Amino acid sequence: MEWTKATVTVTDRSNKSLSYPSAFDRDIKTSYFFPLVTSEGRQGALLIEDRSSKGLTAADSEFFNIVISNIAFVIRNLIYTSRIRVMATTDSLTNVPNKRFMDDDLTTKHKYCMTNHINYFLAVIDIDHFKKFNDTHGHHHGDRVLKHVASTLRKTLGNRGTIYRCGGEEFVLYLQSMPTEAAYALCDSLRILISELEILTDDTQESTPVTISIGLANYPLVAASVYKQTLE
């Protein structure tokens, strides 16, 4: 393999260009790629660059294989741990953070805002007369309503805050550093969008209108007490 003298330019996650000297400039004689494979498939590769001309010995290869096996084991455990964490903190029906995650996350966010004197809003959302969906059309339809409402809330909210499913038909929105007028406007747009949803039943394909009620509180004005009640 022949090395070129070209400098390699790569882009990191923040889209910044980083210049990396070529192997020729760094006097690299040989490069070895060892794949990192777990039960989840190939996760990457370990690159070893050698400035000597003698190459790897059998002992070197055995050593690096042991190192790679240990790295792959750690990666596999990290993948499993991440999946378990997501399962424990995400509502399986609506795919939004659940109350367990909300308790910890709001505690962290509240302390941060309190320390740095940052305002935030909590919006508590309740689906009106939700019991009638289950009683009239079955729990499967009630689940469908919850999914549609959660999806609409999440898409509309975007990166302006965090949505949690508090339990049952209740959701909580956390809105940080938002003017009062903007918070009220967002909640009003959510109310309108939810009322425009067309959620059809399985049997009669009947559209079942959905409306929501929203309670909005601001920290440091009144959200501190609402926050405590929410966690209780």
Side-chain angles (χ1 to χ4, degrees):
M1 178 178 181
E2 295 184 358
W3 299 117
T4 67
K5 297 184 180 181
T7 299
V8 178
T9 301
V10 297
T11 303
D12 64 7
R13 291 184 178 182
S14 60
N15 291 323
K16 293 181 181 179
S17 295
L18 305 173
S19 295
Y20 191 66
S22 67
F24 182 89
D25 292 331
R26 290 180 289 112
D27 195 29
I28 303 300
K29 299 296 189 298
T30 312
S31 290
Y32 303 92
F33 287 89
F34 293 86
L36 294 172
V37 181
T38 69
S39 57
E40 303 295 319
R42 183 171 299 175
Q43 304 301 322
L46 178 64
L47 168 63
I48 299 174
E49 297 180 332
D50 189 0
R51 290 181 176 176
S52 69
S53 302
K54 63 179 183 179
L56 293 181
T57 64
D60 292 334
S61 297
E62 183 179 356
F63 170 77
F64 286 123
N65 280 325
I66 293 174
V67 172
I68 290 168
S69 296
N70 281 278
I71 294 175
F73 178 77
V74 172
I75 292 175
R76 184 190 64 183
N77 286 344
L78 288 173
I79 292 173
Y80 289 161
T81 300
S82 177
R83 287 182 177 177
I84 292 173
R85 184 181 297 111
V86 170
M87 291 173 62
T89 58
T90 303
D91 177 58
S92 59
L93 178 64
T94 60
N95 203 33
V96 301
N98 60 18
K99 188 178 184 300
R100 175 182 294 179
F101 180 84
M102 181 188 76
D103 292 347
D104 294 336
D105 197 42
L106 284 185
T107 297
T108 302
K109 285 180 166 61
H110 178 70
K111 289 179 179 178
Y112 175 81
C113 290
M114 186 170 56
T115 302
N116 295 279
H117 307 287
I118 299 174
N119 79 297
Y120 69 84
F121 283 90
L122 285 181
V124 181
I125 299 175
D126 185 83
I127 301 177
D128 298 329
H129 313 294
F130 179 74
K131 188 174 182 295
K132 73 177 183 181
F133 296 114
N134 290 330
D135 293 345
T136 306
H137 304 289
H139 288 274
H140 182 69
H141 184 70
D143 289 346
R144 183 182 293 117
V145 170
L146 287 170
K147 290 179 181 178
H148 277 74
V149 170
S151 177
T152 302
L153 294 176
R154 183 175 57 247
K155 290 178 181 178
T156 307
L157 184 61
N159 60 2
R160 291 178 289 182
T162 308
I163 175 177
Y164 315 92
R165 184 183 177 190
C166 189
E169 68 272 24
E170 293 184 349
F171 296 88
V172 173
L173 303 184
Y174 169 84
L175 313 171
Q176 182 177 305
S177 302
M178 182 176 290
T180 302
E181 296 78 8
Y184 276 101
L186 174 61
C187 289
D188 198 45
S189 65
L190 290 173
R191 180 185 59 79
I192 294 173
L193 287 171
I194 295 299
S195 67
E196 294 175 345
L197 290 176
E198 290 190 5
I199 307 175
L200 305 179
T201 61
D202 287 330
D203 49 2
T204 63
Q205 292 297 296
E206 172 190 357
S207 178
T208 54
V210 181
T211 59
I212 58 174
S213 299
I214 305 177
L216 186 64
N218 172 263
Y219 175 85
L221 298 179
V222 293
S225 60
V226 174
Y227 162 79
K228 292 179 181 178
Q229 293 175 11
T230 302
L231 296 185
E232 294 173 353

